[in-house]
């Protein structure tokens, strides 16, 4: 078995973000870094962190110089097109994009609304709900499971696997890194076994679902092999669940933090779409990405060598005062809003339209059914343990039912 040393050390927590308080509010740290160390090397994590909007933008738009291909081994849970460069990346991306056309996404709207209504029906008369458990987790899980043609009884597995995909170690210690390595290896075996069975079934009995489309797809006249399809499924599982779960959760968190904002959305429901965009900027579901330098390169005033790992911090770029006026203020009708919450360039998130649609529909229904949304008493945020995902594990809220 490959050793845990082959996991990238960059997945260990950033020292300054190792406390719960800093993980819940990393933005003062990002601001400090933009001002004093916009490009800095972390010897413990063996990577370069970059914090300013311009630098993050330049890295993400240049796949030739800043590659997505991971040059080291280990159990990779998110491979597939997320770890490819052009031209293969664009060929593979084209396959999935056919299933995520604007028309196909729009057609999911009524089903998303129906699922949301059903989930809220279960808590509507209680006046209290854990927003994460009761809505933000099950909604995207159900949607992506139905897209892939996965039976309802297996949805619980989907959540467990997607949690494992984004999970980070408690610390950068050898023991914690080894534990994470073993967990990732176990998860990867389970994912492979599960999806290989589904793929075999679809080859024998095609159905009207995404797995069947992947089975029948071709790149340059050749069908995808089973492991390429598995990689696609894993990517869709993670991208379809975690990002949307945290977007919905962070949206409701922001509403609970600001009663006046709730009032404005009740009075002007047309603001919900721009509100969601501002949540994406202000509380982005994903804080960082990773790239590898393909040659010696200069970022800002710093020289980076070929092969070194670079971490572009989206969460910092989205709060850059040089790009966003009043960057630390939440402005629900902010225009323009060129945030990079879904990345940028050739790896811009394919599932972005679906995540946006789910969040907008969920927020519209929440605002139609709930007023006076507030945090439950004695509630304390518990951050998701992840090196790159931004969200909380639970969000107990109190609310009044809108009559």
């Amino acid at each position: 078995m490959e050793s845990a040393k082959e996991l990238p050390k960059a997945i260990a927590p950033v020292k300054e973000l190792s406390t719960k308080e800093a993980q819940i509010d990393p933005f003062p740290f990002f601001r400090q870094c933009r001002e004093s160390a916009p490009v800095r090397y972390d010897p413990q994590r063996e990577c370069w962190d970059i914090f300013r909007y311009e630098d993050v933008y330049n890295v993400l738009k240049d796949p030739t110089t800043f590659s997505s291909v991971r040059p080291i081994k280990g159990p990779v849970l998110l491979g597939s097109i997320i770890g490819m460069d052009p031209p293969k990346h664009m060929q593979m991306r084209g396959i999935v994009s056919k299933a995520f056309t604007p028309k196909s996404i729009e057609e999911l709207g009524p089903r998303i609304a129906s699922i949301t209504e059903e989930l809220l029906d279960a808590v509507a008369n209680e006046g209290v709900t854990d927003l994460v458990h009761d809505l933000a987790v099950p909604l995207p899980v159900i949607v992506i499971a139905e897209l892939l043609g996965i039976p309802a009884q297996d949805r619980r597995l989907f959540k467990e696997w997607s949690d494992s995909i984004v999970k980070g170690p408690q610390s950068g210690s050898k023991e914690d890194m080894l534990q994470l390595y073993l967990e990732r290896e176990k998860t990867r075996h389970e994912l492979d076994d599960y999806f290989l069975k589904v793929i075999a079934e679809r080859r024998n009995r095609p159905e009207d679902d995404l797995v069947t489309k992947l089975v029948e797809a071709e790149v340059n006249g050749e069908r995808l092999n089973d492991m390429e399809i598995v990689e696609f499924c894993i990517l869709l599982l993670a991208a379809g669940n975690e990002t949307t779960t945290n977007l919905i959760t962070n949206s409701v968190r922001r509403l609970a933090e600001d009663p006046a904002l709730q009032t404005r959305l009740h009075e002007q429901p047309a603001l919900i779409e721009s509100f969601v965009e501002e949540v994406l900027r202000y509380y982005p579901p994903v804080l960082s990405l990773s790239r590898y330098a393909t040659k010696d390169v200069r970022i800002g005033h710093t020289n980076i060598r070929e092969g070194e790992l670079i971490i572009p911090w989206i969460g910092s770029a989205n709060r850059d005062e040089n790009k966003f006026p009043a960057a630390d203020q939440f402005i629900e009708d902010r225009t323009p809003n060129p945030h990079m919450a879904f990345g940028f360039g050739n790896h811009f998130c394919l599932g972005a339209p679906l995540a946006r649609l789910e969040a907008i529909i969920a927020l519209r229904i929440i605002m139609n059914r709930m007023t006076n949304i507030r945090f439950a008493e004695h509630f304390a945020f518990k951050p998701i343990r992840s090196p790159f995902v931004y969200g909380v594990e639970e969000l107990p809220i109190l609310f009044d039912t809108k009559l």
Side-chain angles (χ1 to χ4, degrees), residues 9-10 14 33 37-51 55-56 59 66 288-293 295-313:
K9 291 185 179 180
V14 176
C33 288
V39 181
R40 69 164 202 175
Y41 186 74
D42 186 332
Q44 280 72 44
R45 294 164 50 247
E46 297 181 353
C47 65
W48 292 93
D49 294 307
I50 62 174
F51 296 97
D55 294 333
V56 171
V59 167
F66 304 102
S288 65
L289 299 171
S290 62
R291 296 291 187 268
Y292 294 87
K295 60 183 178 182
D296 292 353
V297 66
R298 191 172 180 85
I299 299 179
H301 301 294
T302 304
N303 294 318
I304 294 173
R305 293 181 179 177
E306 177 182 350
E308 290 188 315
L309 174 59
I310 301 162
I311 306 297
W313 285 92

Side-chain angles (χ1 to χ4, degrees), residues 5 21 39 59 62 72 78 135 143 146 148 283 350 402:
K5 290 188 292 185
E21 293 75 17
V39 181
V59 167
D62 184 3
I72 55 179
L78 277 179
L135 177 65
V143 170
E146 290 184 353
L148 289 169
Y283 285 157
L350 266 172
K402 191 173 181 180

Side-chain angles (χ1 to χ4, degrees), residues 142-309:
I142 292 170
V143 170
I144 200 65
E146 290 184 353
L147 278 173
L148 289 169
I150 301 304
Q153 63 266 25
D154 292 342
R155 291 172 187 162
R156 175 185 57 81
L157 292 172
F158 267 39
K159 177 55 182 169
E160 292 175 2
W161 287 329
S162 57
D163 284 346
S164 179
I165 288 170
V166 303
K167 188 177 183 181
Q170 291 277 15
S171 71
S173 70
K174 291 181 179 178
E175 294 78 9
D176 284 345
M177 294 292 277
L178 176 59
Q179 181 181 358
L180 180 66
Y181 179 96
L182 295 173
E183 288 182 23
R184 286 193 167 194
E185 188 177 53
K186 177 177 179 288
T187 298
R188 183 62 210 237
H189 285 315
E190 291 174 353
L191 285 163
D192 288 351
D193 290 345
Y194 184 88
F195 282 117
L196 285 172
K197 290 177 183 176
V198 176
I199 291 165
E201 291 172 359
R202 295 303 186 274
R203 290 196 192 280
N204 292 325
R205 295 189 304 276
E207 296 185 14
D208 184 19
D209 59 34
L210 199 47
V211 175
T212 300
K213 291 179 182 177
L214 292 172
V215 166
E216 296 174 347
E218 293 184 356
V219 176
N220 293 334
E222 294 184 7
R223 293 285 177 94
L224 301 177
N225 64 46
D226 284 1
M227 290 313 300
E228 286 175 326
I229 298 173
V230 168
E231 292 281 3
F232 268 127
C233 292
I234 294 173
L235 176 61
L236 293 167
L237 171 65
N241 288 337
E242 292 297 331
T243 301
T244 309
T245 290
N246 294 323
L247 174 53
I248 294 171
T249 302
N250 294 344
S251 296
V252 177
R253 169 187 169 182
R254 188 69 199 103
L255 291 174
E257 290 171 340
D258 189 347
L261 179 57
Q262 291 183 53
T263 299
R264 287 195 291 276
L265 292 191
H266 280 301
E267 293 175 348
Q268 303 177 65
L271 287 175
I272 287 178
E273 289 190 23
S274 61
F275 164 80
V276 168
E277 291 304 308
E278 183 69 342
V279 172
L280 285 163
R281 183 195 71 86
Y282 193 81
Y283 285 157
V286 174
L287 287 177
S288 65
L289 299 171
S290 62
R291 296 291 187 268
Y292 294 87
T294 61
K295 60 183 178 182
D296 292 353
V297 66
R298 191 172 180 85
I299 299 179
H301 301 294
T302 304
N303 294 318
I304 294 173
R305 293 181 179 177
E306 177 182 350
E308 290 188 315
L309 174 59

Side-chain angles (χ1 to χ4, degrees), residues 34 53 278 281-282 317-339:
R34 287 194 302 274
Y53 186 100
E278 183 69 342
R281 183 195 71 86
Y282 193 81
N318 284 352
R319 295 284 191 106
D320 192 331
E321 302 82 354
N322 290 320
K323 187 66 178 181
F324 300 96
D328 283 330
Q329 292 183 30
F330 187 95
I331 302 173
E332 67 275 10
D333 57 353
R334 182 182 292 271
T335 304
N337 194 349
H339 64 76

Side-chain angles (χ1 to χ4, degrees), residues 380-391:
F381 289 117
K382 184 179 180 181
I384 294 172
R385 199 178 94 204
S386 170
F388 61 91
V389 162
Y390 184 66

